[in-house]
Amino acid sequence: MLRNAFLWLTLGSLIPISSFATVDSPVVQGLGGGGRAGVPREALFSNPAAVVAVGSTFGFVHYEIPQVPDFNARGRGWSVGIYDVGDQTWKGGFAYTRTSKARILNAQQSYVDRSSFRFATGHAITGSIIGGLRGRLERIHGAGDGTKYFDADLGILFPFFNDIRAGFTIENVADKDLEEPRTIGLGAAYSLGYGIQFLADGYRIMTGKKEGERGWSLSFELGLAGDFLARAGVFEEAFRALKGWSAGLSWMGPRASFDYALKVTGRGPRERAHILGMTLAL
């Protein structure tokens, strides 16, 4: 199965999507960038320890259309990957991402063209406490070979109360210059029942010029008519001090699912991103 997973991913990487803070997943994006308390299908884009809860092998494809209307700028992003449960004693995820889009920082427009090969794996540390690791080989495309570097994210999941689970993350461990700074994050998820779940996330920048700045998100997920899930959230990004909201919808079939999310920021500058996703059981 692992051999097939590597072959599937290698072929997928020929398709011409980045750190936890850069959302590539429609599910995480629909939650306002939350998920540090664990989203099993999204361990490659949220807390990596959540990969332990993946129940079956499946592949996924995402397509993103980011826009900055105030600057008449836009871009596109792709991701393709697989989660493999192996023989249930080892579980992991692999993905290739590629993003090409405009980026606005301090009212200045630049262009980002980068790719990432990432993996995630996790294991029980003790009892009900689970640890996870996500490694990322990042490449910033430019003149010549561009810039390449390796970074990583760490995550822990643990029960807090009977209906509340919690998560802790250290993101961008390598803390590379001119890249997203190292952050620590906390998340909690409360299952109310009746298919309703509330999530709260917060994080703090630990290094660089933005040291001490904080970001957060509040979101919920609601089951509808058995096969549908609706999501919505509000958030504030620490690195660029942008506030906004998001919404998403998923249809969950027996062997496939389809996801959509919209993420909007409401001030200086306004940004909007549509992202579509599909998963397929393998």
PDB file of all heavy atoms in Angstrom, residues 88-113:
ATOM      1  N   GLN A  88      -2.808  -0.330  10.035  1.00  0.00           N
ATOM      2  CA  GLN A  88      -3.412   0.270  11.217  1.00  0.00           C
ATOM      3  C   GLN A  88      -2.412   0.495  12.354  1.00  0.00           C
ATOM      4  O   GLN A  88      -2.740   1.155  13.347  1.00  0.00           O
ATOM      5  CB  GLN A  88      -4.598  -0.572  11.745  1.00  0.00           C
ATOM      6  CG  GLN A  88      -5.787  -0.644  10.796  1.00  0.00           C
ATOM      7  CD  GLN A  88      -6.523   0.679  10.655  1.00  0.00           C
ATOM      8  OE1 GLN A  88      -6.468   1.530  11.522  1.00  0.00           O
ATOM      9  NE2 GLN A  88      -7.220   0.847   9.538  1.00  0.00           N
ATOM     10  N   THR A  89      -1.177  -0.004  12.262  1.00  0.00           N
ATOM     11  CA  THR A  89      -0.177   0.271  13.287  1.00  0.00           C
ATOM     12  C   THR A  89       0.644   1.503  12.930  1.00  0.00           C
ATOM     13  O   THR A  89       1.287   2.097  13.792  1.00  0.00           O
ATOM     14  CB  THR A  89       0.769  -0.924  13.471  1.00  0.00           C
ATOM     15  OG1 THR A  89       1.461  -1.181  12.240  1.00  0.00           O
ATOM     16  CG2 THR A  89       0.000  -2.171  13.874  1.00  0.00           C
ATOM     17  N   TRP A  90       0.645   1.878  11.661  1.00  0.00           N
ATOM     18  CA  TRP A  90       1.339   3.096  11.208  1.00  0.00           C
ATOM     19  C   TRP A  90       0.410   3.870  10.297  1.00  0.00           C
ATOM     20  O   TRP A  90      -0.220   3.313   9.408  1.00  0.00           O
ATOM     21  CB  TRP A  90       2.615   2.741  10.454  1.00  0.00           C
ATOM     22  CG  TRP A  90       3.358   3.971   9.994  1.00  0.00           C
ATOM     23  CD1 TRP A  90       4.360   4.615  10.648  1.00  0.00           C
ATOM     24  CD2 TRP A  90       3.143   4.698   8.771  1.00  0.00           C
ATOM     25  NE1 TRP A  90       4.786   5.701   9.928  1.00  0.00           N
ATOM     26  CE2 TRP A  90       4.064   5.783   8.783  1.00  0.00           C
ATOM     27  CE3 TRP A  90       2.272   4.558   7.701  1.00  0.00           C
ATOM     28  CZ2 TRP A  90       4.121   6.694   7.740  1.00  0.00           C
ATOM     29  CZ3 TRP A  90       2.328   5.478   6.667  1.00  0.00           C
ATOM     30  CH2 TRP A  90       3.248   6.525   6.693  1.00  0.00           C
ATOM     31  N   LYS A  91       0.286   5.155  10.554  1.00  0.00           N
ATOM     32  CA  LYS A  91      -0.553   6.003   9.710  1.00  0.00           C
ATOM     33  C   LYS A  91       0.239   7.247   9.316  1.00  0.00           C
ATOM     34  O   LYS A  91       1.014   7.776  10.124  1.00  0.00           O
ATOM     35  CB  LYS A  91      -1.830   6.414  10.453  1.00  0.00           C
ATOM     36  CG  LYS A  91      -2.727   5.239  10.832  1.00  0.00           C
ATOM     37  CD  LYS A  91      -3.974   5.704  11.556  1.00  0.00           C
ATOM     38  CE  LYS A  91      -4.842   4.525  11.956  1.00  0.00           C
ATOM     39  NZ  LYS A  91      -6.096   4.950  12.637  1.00  0.00           N
ATOM     40  N   GLY A  92       0.040   7.688   8.093  1.00  0.00           N
ATOM     41  CA  GLY A  92       0.761   8.857   7.627  1.00  0.00           C
ATOM     42  C   GLY A  92       0.033   9.543   6.497  1.00  0.00           C
ATOM     43  O   GLY A  92      -0.903   8.988   5.900  1.00  0.00           O
ATOM     44  N   GLY A  93       0.466  10.747   6.197  1.00  0.00           N
ATOM     45  CA  GLY A  93      -0.074  11.503   5.079  1.00  0.00           C
ATOM     46  C   GLY A  93       1.046  12.140   4.293  1.00  0.00           C
ATOM     47  O   GLY A  93       2.094  12.495   4.852  1.00  0.00           O
ATOM     48  N   PHE A  94       0.850  12.263   2.970  1.00  0.00           N
ATOM     49  CA  PHE A  94       1.834  12.874   2.081  1.00  0.00           C
ATOM     50  C   PHE A  94       1.097  13.826   1.141  1.00  0.00           C
ATOM     51  O   PHE A  94      -0.021  13.548   0.712  1.00  0.00           O
ATOM     52  CB  PHE A  94       2.557  11.811   1.242  1.00  0.00           C
ATOM     53  CG  PHE A  94       3.130  10.671   2.029  1.00  0.00           C
ATOM     54  CD1 PHE A  94       2.358   9.552   2.319  1.00  0.00           C
ATOM     55  CD2 PHE A  94       4.443  10.705   2.483  1.00  0.00           C
ATOM     56  CE1 PHE A  94       2.866   8.485   3.038  1.00  0.00           C
ATOM     57  CE2 PHE A  94       4.969   9.654   3.207  1.00  0.00           C
ATOM     58  CZ  PHE A  94       4.181   8.541   3.480  1.00  0.00           C
ATOM     59  N   ALA A  95       1.728  14.940   0.794  1.00  0.00           N
ATOM     60  CA  ALA A  95       1.076  15.873  -0.139  1.00  0.00           C
ATOM     61  C   ALA A  95       2.127  16.694  -0.869  1.00  0.00           C
ATOM     62  O   ALA A  95       3.224  16.948  -0.351  1.00  0.00           O
ATOM     63  CB  ALA A  95       0.115  16.799   0.586  1.00  0.00           C
ATOM     64  N   TYR A  96       1.766  17.113  -2.065  1.00  0.00           N
ATOM     65  CA  TYR A  96       2.525  18.108  -2.817  1.00  0.00           C
ATOM     66  C   TYR A  96       1.599  19.302  -3.022  1.00  0.00           C
ATOM     67  O   TYR A  96       0.432  19.139  -3.399  1.00  0.00           O
ATOM     68  CB  TYR A  96       2.973  17.557  -4.169  1.00  0.00           C
ATOM     69  CG  TYR A  96       3.680  18.594  -5.030  1.00  0.00           C
ATOM     70  CD1 TYR A  96       5.036  18.834  -4.853  1.00  0.00           C
ATOM     71  CD2 TYR A  96       2.979  19.313  -5.986  1.00  0.00           C
ATOM     72  CE1 TYR A  96       5.695  19.779  -5.629  1.00  0.00           C
ATOM     73  CE2 TYR A  96       3.627  20.264  -6.766  1.00  0.00           C
ATOM     74  CZ  TYR A  96       4.988  20.491  -6.586  1.00  0.00           C
ATOM     75  OH  TYR A  96       5.628  21.440  -7.350  1.00  0.00           O
ATOM     76  N   THR A  97       2.086  20.504  -2.735  1.00  0.00           N
ATOM     77  CA  THR A  97       1.285  21.708  -2.901  1.00  0.00           C
ATOM     78  C   THR A  97       2.024  22.697  -3.790  1.00  0.00           C
ATOM     79  O   THR A  97       3.253  22.722  -3.837  1.00  0.00           O
ATOM     80  CB  THR A  97       0.988  22.389  -1.548  1.00  0.00           C
ATOM     81  OG1 THR A  97       2.182  23.008  -1.060  1.00  0.00           O
ATOM     82  CG2 THR A  97       0.492  21.385  -0.520  1.00  0.00           C
ATOM     83  N   ARG A  98       1.260  23.524  -4.488  1.00  0.00           N
ATOM     84  CA  ARG A  98       1.844  24.571  -5.334  1.00  0.00           C
ATOM     85  C   ARG A  98       0.932  25.788  -5.292  1.00  0.00           C
ATOM     86  O   ARG A  98      -0.273  25.676  -5.546  1.00  0.00           O
ATOM     87  CB  ARG A  98       2.003  24.077  -6.778  1.00  0.00           C
ATOM     88  CG  ARG A  98       2.649  25.095  -7.736  1.00  0.00           C
ATOM     89  CD  ARG A  98       4.123  25.307  -7.421  1.00  0.00           C
ATOM     90  NE  ARG A  98       4.707  26.351  -8.259  1.00  0.00           N
ATOM     91  CZ  ARG A  98       5.418  26.115  -9.372  1.00  0.00           C
ATOM     92  NH1 ARG A  98       5.619  24.859  -9.763  1.00  0.00           N
ATOM     93  NH2 ARG A  98       5.927  27.110 -10.054  1.00  0.00           N
ATOM     94  N   THR A  99       1.455  26.956  -4.940  1.00  0.00           N
ATOM     95  CA  THR A  99       0.681  28.187  -4.913  1.00  0.00           C
ATOM     96  C   THR A  99       1.374  29.256  -5.740  1.00  0.00           C
ATOM     97  O   THR A  99       2.594  29.400  -5.687  1.00  0.00           O
ATOM     98  CB  THR A  99       0.504  28.718  -3.479  1.00  0.00           C
ATOM     99  OG1 THR A  99       1.786  28.839  -2.851  1.00  0.00           O
ATOM    100  CG2 THR A  99      -0.362  27.791  -2.658  1.00  0.00           C
ATOM    101  N   SER A 100       0.596  29.988  -6.498  1.00  0.00           N
ATOM    102  CA  SER A 100       1.079  31.140  -7.261  1.00  0.00           C
ATOM    103  C   SER A 100       0.031  32.235  -7.082  1.00  0.00           C
ATOM    104  O   SER A 100      -1.075  32.122  -7.613  1.00  0.00           O
ATOM    105  CB  SER A 100       1.239  30.797  -8.743  1.00  0.00           C
ATOM    106  OG  SER A 100       2.155  29.735  -8.920  1.00  0.00           O
ATOM    107  N   LYS A 101       0.370  33.288  -6.340  1.00  0.00           N
ATOM    108  CA  LYS A 101      -0.640  34.298  -6.035  1.00  0.00           C
ATOM    109  C   LYS A 101       0.006  35.612  -5.619  1.00  0.00           C
ATOM    110  O   LYS A 101       1.176  35.668  -5.240  1.00  0.00           O
ATOM    111  CB  LYS A 101      -1.556  33.817  -4.915  1.00  0.00           C
ATOM    112  CG  LYS A 101      -0.853  33.583  -3.574  1.00  0.00           C
ATOM    113  CD  LYS A 101      -1.836  33.067  -2.538  1.00  0.00           C
ATOM    114  CE  LYS A 101      -1.161  32.832  -1.186  1.00  0.00           C
ATOM    115  NZ  LYS A 101      -2.117  32.346  -0.180  1.00  0.00           N
ATOM    116  N   ALA A 102      -0.801  36.683  -5.682  1.00  0.00           N
ATOM    117  CA  ALA A 102      -0.376  37.986  -5.189  1.00  0.00           C
ATOM    118  C   ALA A 102      -0.425  37.976  -3.664  1.00  0.00           C
ATOM    119  O   ALA A 102      -1.261  37.321  -3.052  1.00  0.00           O
ATOM    120  CB  ALA A 102      -1.270  39.077  -5.737  1.00  0.00           C
ATOM    121  N   ARG A 103       0.500  38.732  -3.039  1.00  0.00           N
ATOM    122  CA  ARG A 103       0.536  38.859  -1.588  1.00  0.00           C
ATOM    123  C   ARG A 103       0.674  40.332  -1.241  1.00  0.00           C
ATOM    124  O   ARG A 103       1.532  41.027  -1.810  1.00  0.00           O
ATOM    125  CB  ARG A 103       1.717  38.071  -1.016  1.00  0.00           C
ATOM    126  CG  ARG A 103       1.786  38.084   0.508  1.00  0.00           C
ATOM    127  CD  ARG A 103       2.868  37.120   0.961  1.00  0.00           C
ATOM    128  NE  ARG A 103       2.853  36.948   2.400  1.00  0.00           N
ATOM    129  CZ  ARG A 103       3.858  37.285   3.198  1.00  0.00           C
ATOM    130  NH1 ARG A 103       4.949  37.827   2.687  1.00  0.00           N
ATOM    131  NH2 ARG A 103       3.793  37.086   4.501  1.00  0.00           N
ATOM    132  N   ILE A 104      -0.158  40.801  -0.322  1.00  0.00           N
ATOM    133  CA  ILE A 104      -0.153  42.201   0.067  1.00  0.00           C
ATOM    134  C   ILE A 104       0.344  42.296   1.506  1.00  0.00           C
ATOM    135  O   ILE A 104      -0.215  41.669   2.403  1.00  0.00           O
ATOM    136  CB  ILE A 104      -1.550  42.838  -0.035  1.00  0.00           C
ATOM    137  CG1 ILE A 104      -2.185  42.500  -1.392  1.00  0.00           C
ATOM    138  CG2 ILE A 104      -1.457  44.336   0.176  1.00  0.00           C
ATOM    139  CD1 ILE A 104      -1.426  42.998  -2.590  1.00  0.00           C
ATOM    140  N   LEU A 105       1.420  43.066   1.736  1.00  0.00           N
ATOM    141  CA  LEU A 105       1.967  43.272   3.071  1.00  0.00           C
ATOM    142  C   LEU A 105       2.412  44.717   3.173  1.00  0.00           C
ATOM    143  O   LEU A 105       3.183  45.199   2.335  1.00  0.00           O
ATOM    144  CB  LEU A 105       3.146  42.326   3.334  1.00  0.00           C
ATOM    145  CG  LEU A 105       3.760  42.381   4.732  1.00  0.00           C
ATOM    146  CD1 LEU A 105       2.729  41.989   5.788  1.00  0.00           C
ATOM    147  CD2 LEU A 105       4.982  41.475   4.823  1.00  0.00           C
ATOM    148  N   ASN A 106       1.890  45.422   4.194  1.00  0.00           N
ATOM    149  CA  ASN A 106       2.195  46.842   4.376  1.00  0.00           C
ATOM    150  C   ASN A 106       1.849  47.655   3.126  1.00  0.00           C
ATOM    151  O   ASN A 106       2.612  48.529   2.696  1.00  0.00           O
ATOM    152  CB  ASN A 106       3.668  47.038   4.741  1.00  0.00           C
ATOM    153  CG  ASN A 106       4.040  46.359   6.045  1.00  0.00           C
ATOM    154  OD1 ASN A 106       3.231  46.314   6.977  1.00  0.00           O
ATOM    155  ND2 ASN A 106       5.248  45.822   6.123  1.00  0.00           N
ATOM    156  N   ALA A 107       0.683  47.360   2.546  1.00  0.00           N
ATOM    157  CA  ALA A 107       0.157  48.063   1.364  1.00  0.00           C
ATOM    158  C   ALA A 107       1.034  47.899   0.132  1.00  0.00           C
ATOM    159  O   ALA A 107       0.879  48.628  -0.845  1.00  0.00           O
ATOM    160  CB  ALA A 107      -0.039  49.549   1.663  1.00  0.00           C
ATOM    161  N   GLN A 108       1.939  46.932   0.145  1.00  0.00           N
ATOM    162  CA  GLN A 108       2.795  46.659  -1.000  1.00  0.00           C
ATOM    163  C   GLN A 108       2.438  45.301  -1.593  1.00  0.00           C
ATOM    164  O   GLN A 108       2.231  44.329  -0.857  1.00  0.00           O
ATOM    165  CB  GLN A 108       4.277  46.686  -0.599  1.00  0.00           C
ATOM    166  CG  GLN A 108       4.751  48.027  -0.055  1.00  0.00           C
ATOM    167  CD  GLN A 108       4.712  49.116  -1.098  1.00  0.00           C
ATOM    168  OE1 GLN A 108       5.088  48.916  -2.256  1.00  0.00           O
ATOM    169  NE2 GLN A 108       4.226  50.294  -0.701  1.00  0.00           N
ATOM    170  N   GLN A 109       2.356  45.244  -2.925  1.00  0.00           N
ATOM    171  CA  GLN A 109       2.000  44.015  -3.602  1.00  0.00           C
ATOM    172  C   GLN A 109       3.248  43.281  -4.071  1.00  0.00           C
ATOM    173  O   GLN A 109       4.159  43.876  -4.647  1.00  0.00           O
ATOM    174  CB  GLN A 109       1.101  44.301  -4.802  1.00  0.00           C
ATOM    175  CG  GLN A 109       0.684  43.058  -5.567  1.00  0.00           C
ATOM    176  CD  GLN A 109      -0.280  43.365  -6.695  1.00  0.00           C
ATOM    177  OE1 GLN A 109      -0.871  44.430  -6.738  1.00  0.00           O
ATOM    178  NE2 GLN A 109      -0.434  42.434  -7.612  1.00  0.00           N
ATOM    179  N   SER A 110       3.294  41.996  -3.809  1.00  0.00           N
ATOM    180  CA  SER A 110       4.366  41.139  -4.322  1.00  0.00           C
ATOM    181  C   SER A 110       3.725  39.877  -4.866  1.00  0.00           C
ATOM    182  O   SER A 110       2.518  39.671  -4.744  1.00  0.00           O
ATOM    183  CB  SER A 110       5.380  40.807  -3.228  1.00  0.00           C
ATOM    184  OG  SER A 110       4.749  40.130  -2.150  1.00  0.00           O
ATOM    185  N   TYR A 111       4.535  39.005  -5.450  1.00  0.00           N
ATOM    186  CA  TYR A 111       4.016  37.791  -6.061  1.00  0.00           C
ATOM    187  C   TYR A 111       4.706  36.594  -5.421  1.00  0.00           C
ATOM    188  O   TYR A 111       5.943  36.563  -5.299  1.00  0.00           O
ATOM    189  CB  TYR A 111       4.270  37.803  -7.566  1.00  0.00           C
ATOM    190  CG  TYR A 111       3.586  36.676  -8.307  1.00  0.00           C
ATOM    191  CD1 TYR A 111       2.209  36.689  -8.513  1.00  0.00           C
ATOM    192  CD2 TYR A 111       4.319  35.599  -8.786  1.00  0.00           C
ATOM    193  CE1 TYR A 111       1.578  35.658  -9.188  1.00  0.00           C
ATOM    194  CE2 TYR A 111       3.693  34.559  -9.466  1.00  0.00           C
ATOM    195  CZ  TYR A 111       2.323  34.598  -9.660  1.00  0.00           C
ATOM    196  OH  TYR A 111       1.709  33.569 -10.321  1.00  0.00           O
ATOM    197  N   VAL A 112       3.912  35.640  -4.994  1.00  0.00           N
ATOM    198  CA  VAL A 112       4.428  34.449  -4.332  1.00  0.00           C
ATOM    199  C   VAL A 112       4.268  33.251  -5.264  1.00  0.00           C
ATOM    200  O   VAL A 112       3.168  32.999  -5.756  1.00  0.00           O
ATOM    201  CB  VAL A 112       3.677  34.186  -3.009  1.00  0.00           C
ATOM    202  CG1 VAL A 112       4.182  32.904  -2.356  1.00  0.00           C
ATOM    203  CG2 VAL A 112       3.834  35.364  -2.072  1.00  0.00           C
ATOM    204  N   ASP A 113       5.346  32.544  -5.501  1.00  0.00           N
ATOM    205  CA  ASP A 113       5.308  31.320  -6.308  1.00  0.00           C
ATOM    206  C   ASP A 113       6.135  30.282  -5.566  1.00  0.00           C
ATOM    207  O   ASP A 113       7.355  30.371  -5.517  1.00  0.00           O
ATOM    208  CB  ASP A 113       5.887  31.577  -7.704  1.00  0.00           C
ATOM    209  CG  ASP A 113       5.744  30.360  -8.618  1.00  0.00           C
ATOM    210  OD1 ASP A 113       5.029  29.420  -8.231  1.00  0.00           O
ATOM    211  OD2 ASP A 113       6.355  30.364  -9.704  1.00  0.00           O
TER     212      ASP A 113
END
